Amino acid sequence: MDIKKAFVFPGQGSQYPGMGKDLYNKYPTARRVFDEADEALGFLLSKLCFEGTDEDLQLTENTQPAILTTSVAAFRVLEEKGCLPDFVAGHSLGEYSALVAAGSLNLRDAVVLVRQRGKYMQEAVPVGVGAMAALLGLESERALAVCAQAAGNQIVSAANLNSSSQVVIAGHREAVERAMALAKEAGAKRAILLAVSAPFHCVLLQPAADRLKNDIDVCAFADLRFPLITNVDAKPIETADAARNSLERQVTMPVRWQESVQWMLDQKVRTFVEAGPGKVLLGLIRTADKSVGMFNAEDEKSLENAFSGLHNQQFA
Amino acid sequence: MIKIAVDAMGSDHSPKVEVDGALDAAAEYGVPIVLVGHKDKLRPLLAQRDMTGLSVDVEHASEAVTMDDSPTTAFRRKKDSSINVAAQLMRDGKVSGVVSAGNTGAVMATAKFVVGALPVVDRPALSTVLPTQKGRPAILLDVGANVDCKPHHLEQFAIMGDIYSRTIFGIRRPRVGLLSIGEEDTKGNELTKEVFKSLKRAPINFIGNVEGRDIFKGEVDVIVCDGFTGNVVLKLSEGLYETFIEMLRHELKQTLTAKLGSIFAHNAFQQFKRRLDYSEYGGAPLLGIKGITIVCHGRSNSNAIKNAVRVANEFCKHNVNHAIELEFNKLGLTKAAKAN
């Protein structure tokens, strides 16, 4: 029987200096992806990925197109070798990469769109007003309760429901700090303030969502060639309208990653490939099910490993 | 059931490119095809291809319109021409759309006389798709169906172009611009100034006047103009592209360093040509006619024909004509409304 595969696409935080360079040097297909992104953006994003410093890459309007382009480059190489998924899903920004992979959004539109997205998110909340924190070792329900209790007349809410023991929260800095203290009292192993410049996936980002909508309005979207499990609903979508809708709501709503992974596992997905920098998502999937096959795809070595692994599975 | 008729006798390389393109489309999109043309010319070509699982019929037409025929004489004299027979198939409901790479004037005249315009539409418009710097195509209309236009014609073109962009290109709120000679609403001629006012009120994403140089920048999705202007723009663009390529080719042969350079830049040139390749966009739909008629370039290759069939199929699938009728009725743009 054919084993069902899902490709997952990383979000912010997975970037590292030099990412994608090996892809660019080894695969003409990947090179075309970077060249196209450079041209669409009007500056050398490729150079930023390959030679930029941590600081360059941390600027969110750089991070977003950089991760997307690296992810799409890895995907295109997989595709060229005949590796295609049954489902795709992406974490936050990764949902854009997943839509490019699914043929719903073209690369040129996508890189420009996520650069704007980064800019809008950054500008929605003045620096220092918002914050994000990871709560580790606390169940989702407890984390939500902690947020409700800590909010007061400010905002703090779940931003990423990543796994059974990892929830990222976002909101006003003081409220986030209150939630961190409460989380520890409630039994969290750790509460870590994240080095981000804005509070993503909470209602403070409504201005960004409004601005992004105008950009999405004038981008071409097509129906998807494979179903995508959305961040906002943890359910599959296949149409252009649903894709736009999901991207718009995503800005102010939590990423329901744990449920998305569970949905795919319930559909008998037994192999996950993380296309793009890092292995963060595979780590989260592992906490849900240790027995599934996992491959990352970010350079020649990992890709070759993925090809042979996927090939062996197919004929096992 | 959607079925598309392909006029097999129209293009410069007919019927080979039509047959290949139509069969590729049948295979790739699963759309049933009727090839219209001389059966003795079509059968041998079909015999060379693997037709397993494809739904392809041949409809015989003994005559073919040439590029030299005038539109009206072609329509009156060549009763059994492939384009006439294809249009009749659509009129009689046997196919949902027609693709032709034949004589543009003859195709338009035949579509108008045989099939007819939608009851709500005053003037059908020929729309074309142009490549842009941003990579996304821009729609230009009218490019030659109506040389003289009234303001309300252009208003109808804008609405049809908006629907075309939304349904076929998947843009939710396409940016619609009016082709003029300056950005300010006071710039232009009597026609554009009048149209500017009505488009401002129209429920579309009207971004105002655009100039000729804006067309290829990718900042506007639908560009509206009268057919005279549109045709000049289209022919000028094609001519400029061809001249540019020829001049470049000539210069690259002049010196050894240029020759060497051109070898190293070969991939870039190929990529450049690919981006300007009209054949990806699938021809020019004649908007506002019953059914759907797609006019392809006389120099079409099989890829252009294949993509035209794809677009025709999508037009039918998304029921673009129904969307046009609904929108025109809603806005009171219909002929009947104006008579009152």
Side-chain angles (χ1 to χ4, degrees):
Chain A
M1 200 195 79
D2 216 14
I3 291 174
K4 279 196 190 159
K5 294 187 284 288
F7 286 5
V8 293
F9 297 86
Q12 288 215 137
S14 291
Q15 71 276 8
Y16 56 86
M19 65 179 180
K21 191 173 181 184
D22 196 45
L23 292 173
Y24 185 93
N25 289 334
K26 302 284 168 49
Y27 304 101
T29 312
R31 185 172 311 167
R32 275 196 293 277
V33 171
F34 279 99
D35 290 347
E36 206 177 321
D38 285 351
E39 201 194 296
L41 289 168
F43 70 91
L44 292 179
L45 179 80
S46 52
K47 203 170 170 205
L48 189 81
C49 290
F50 309 155
E51 294 165 22
T53 61
D54 265 322
E55 290 74 53
D56 297 333
L57 277 173
Q58 250 163 31
L59 198 65
T60 182
E61 59 186 80
N62 290 339
T63 323
Q64 301 210 21
I67 294 178
L68 181 132
T69 305
T70 307
S71 301
V72 171
F75 170 80
R76 292 271 161 86
V77 177
L78 286 160
E79 182 183 27
E80 189 182 38
K81 305 260 176 172
C83 300
L84 285 173
D86 297 285
F87 302 104
V88 290
H91 193 285
S92 184
L93 156 76
E95 193 156 287
Y96 289 80
S97 318
L99 283 170
V100 175
S104 179
L105 190 54
N106 70 53
L107 176 67
R108 284 169 183 275
D109 277 356
V111 284
V112 175
L113 194 56
V114 299
R115 185 164 169 88
Q116 292 302 103
R117 177 180 183 259
K119 197 165 157 260
Y120 299 156
M121 288 166 106
Q122 188 59 63
E123 289 169 359
V125 182
V127 176
V129 171
M132 293 181 84
L135 309 181
L136 305 181
L138 197 68
E139 294 157 20
S140 306
E141 293 80 42
R142 301 286 291 277
L144 295 176
V146 158
C147 286
Q149 201 187 338
N153 54 3
Q154 288 184 311
I155 302 288
V156 59
S157 56
N160 306 338
L161 299 156
N162 280 341
S163 72
S164 57
S165 61
Q166 189 193 116
V167 175
V168 174
I169 59 171
H172 287 109
R173 173 170 288 278
E174 301 82 5
V176 167
E177 282 165 0
R178 286 196 295 274
M180 289 168 70
L182 285 169
K184 280 187 199 148
E185 284 172 28
K189 282 203 197 85
R190 293 173 70 193
I192 311 159
L193 204 60
L194 300 179
V196 293
S197 46
F200 296 160
H201 301 290
C202 77
V203 294
L204 290 176
L205 256 66
Q206 190 58 48
D210 295 340
R211 293 172 77 186
L212 188 66
K213 184 178 176 300
N214 291 329
D215 288 12
I216 290 175
D217 271 345
V218 297
C219 274
F221 281 77
D223 290 346
L224 285 65
R225 51 179 178 146
F226 12 78
L228 175 144
I229 320 308
T230 66
N231 287 173
V232 281
D233 295 316
K235 298 249 163 57
I237 60 159
E238 293 188 62
T239 67
D241 272 341
R244 280 186 284 243
N245 183 269
S246 169
L247 293 183
E248 283 165 7
R249 289 161 62 218
Q250 194 212 53
V251 180
T252 58
M253 290 178 70
V255 175
R256 291 163 64 179
W257 187 252
Q258 185 193 349
E259 291 167 84
S260 301
V261 170
Q262 194 53 52
W263 189 91
M264 291 187 273
L265 290 169
D266 291 345
Q267 299 301 308
K268 309 265 184 300
V269 171
R270 299 302 297 160
T271 303
F272 288 88
V273 179
E274 181 163 358
K279 303 171 205 170
V280 171
L281 299 180
L282 294 181
L284 295 174
I285 293 165
R286 188 173 291 118
T287 64
D289 189 337
K290 286 189 183 60
S291 69
V292 294
M294 291 191 214
F295 302 98
N296 64 315
E298 57 186 313
D299 50 22
E300 188 186 26
K301 191 164 162 256
S302 58
L303 270 164
E304 293 302 327
N305 179 48
F307 295 145
S308 62
L310 292 168
H311 187 264
N312 289 341
Q313 277 186 350
Q314 205 175 342
F315 298 102
Chain B
M1 181 68 166
I2 297 168
K3 205 180 222 187
I4 306 296
V6 176
D7 166 13
M9 311 309 286
S11 82
D12 298 352
H13 306 287
S14 72
K16 175 92 173 104
V17 291
E18 284 92 341
V19 170
D20 284 345
L23 263 55
D24 290 346
E28 198 163 320
Y29 314 119
V31 48
I33 299 285
V34 181
L35 279 164
V36 186
H38 204 290
K39 60 179 192 295
D40 296 343
K41 288 185 177 151
L42 298 180
R43 298 267 181 231
L45 287 170
L46 289 170
Q48 292 168 16
R49 298 260 316 214
D50 178 13
M51 306 274 286
T52 325
L54 302 185
S55 166
V56 177
D57 297 331
V58 171
E59 185 76 28
H60 179 65
S62 61
E63 292 176 289
V65 175
T66 67
M67 292 297 176
D68 304 323
D69 288 331
S70 94
T72 40
T73 48
F75 171 66
R76 290 207 192 99
R77 298 257 172 81
K78 294 188 172 171
K79 289 286 181 205
D80 200 34
S81 74
S82 53
I83 181 58
N84 218 343
V85 171
Q88 282 163 9
L89 287 175
M90 186 154 76
R91 179 195 62 200
D92 299 341
K94 289 179 181 141
V95 299
S96 343
V98 172
V99 169
S100 175
N103 180 324
T104 304
V107 177
M108 287 196 297
T110 308
K112 264 191 244 179
F113 293 136
V114 176
V115 191
L118 294 172
V120 293
V121 172
D122 286 284
R123 299 284 192 88
L126 188 63
S127 60
T128 193
V129 170
L130 300 167
T132 73
Q133 208 180 325
K134 288 271 165 75
R136 67 167 63 180
I139 296 166
L140 178 72
L141 81 170
D142 172 24
V143 293
N146 316 279
V147 284
D148 293 304
C149 292
K150 295 270 187 316
H152 69 271
H153 296 146
L154 265 71
E155 194 182 350
Q156 291 195 348
F157 299 166
I159 304 293
M160 291 196 289
D162 175 68
I163 293 170
Y164 175 26
S165 179
R166 281 193 279 135
T167 46
I168 304 301
F169 293 104
I171 300 171
R172 188 165 50 187
R173 293 192 70 227
R175 292 157 298 184
V176 181
L178 177 64
L179 190 60
S180 187
I181 52 165
E183 281 181 16
E184 304 84 356
D185 54 0
T186 50
K187 294 273 178 72
N189 56 16
E190 278 176 32
L191 176 67
T192 64
K193 283 187 224 169
E194 198 57 40
V195 176
F196 191 100
K197 284 187 233 157
S198 48
L199 290 187
K200 243 184 142 157
R201 291 190 302 266
I204 51 173
N205 187 9
F206 180 54
I207 59 165
N209 285 342
V210 294
E211 294 184 274
R213 62 176 177 197
D214 301 321
I215 295 175
F216 298 97
K217 283 191 181 150
E219 301 291 345
V220 55
D221 304 302
V222 179
I223 301 141
V224 181
C225 60
D226 64 79
F228 183 89
T229 311
N231 197 268
V232 171
V233 168
L234 184 62
K235 299 285 164 64
L236 169 72
S237 315
E238 286 178 0
L240 186 64
Y241 170 70
E242 282 158 18
T243 308
F244 179 74
I245 294 286
E246 272 316 309
M247 286 163 73
L248 191 64
R249 194 170 283 156
H250 179 75
E251 290 302 327
L252 287 174
K253 283 181 191 151
Q254 289 303 300
T255 63
L256 182 63
T257 44
K259 271 186 211 166
L260 279 173
S262 71
I263 294 168
F264 288 120
H266 178 76
N267 283 342
F269 289 134
Q270 289 306 313
Q271 180 68 9
F272 174 73
K273 275 176 79 174
R274 200 182 61 76
R275 279 184 61 187
L276 292 176
D277 185 2
Y278 65 90
S279 73
E280 284 300 318
Y281 298 121
L286 192 52
L287 297 173
I289 293 274
K290 289 179 196 159
I292 177 65
T293 299
I294 309 250
V295 189
C296 298
H297 210 289
R299 279 169 304 184
S300 286
N301 56 23
S302 61
N303 192 46
I305 301 291
K306 183 188 87 174
N307 277 303
V309 173
R310 170 180 61 81
V311 171
N313 186 32
E314 282 175 27
F315 254 89
C316 302
K317 224 166 55 187
H318 290 107
N319 213 341
V320 172
N321 283 345
H322 184 62
I324 290 174
E325 288 181 315
L326 278 183
E327 196 68 25
F328 275 37
N329 280 321
K330 204 167 83 191
L331 299 177
L333 290 179
T334 61
K335 286 195 236 177
K338 270 191 303 291
N340 293 335

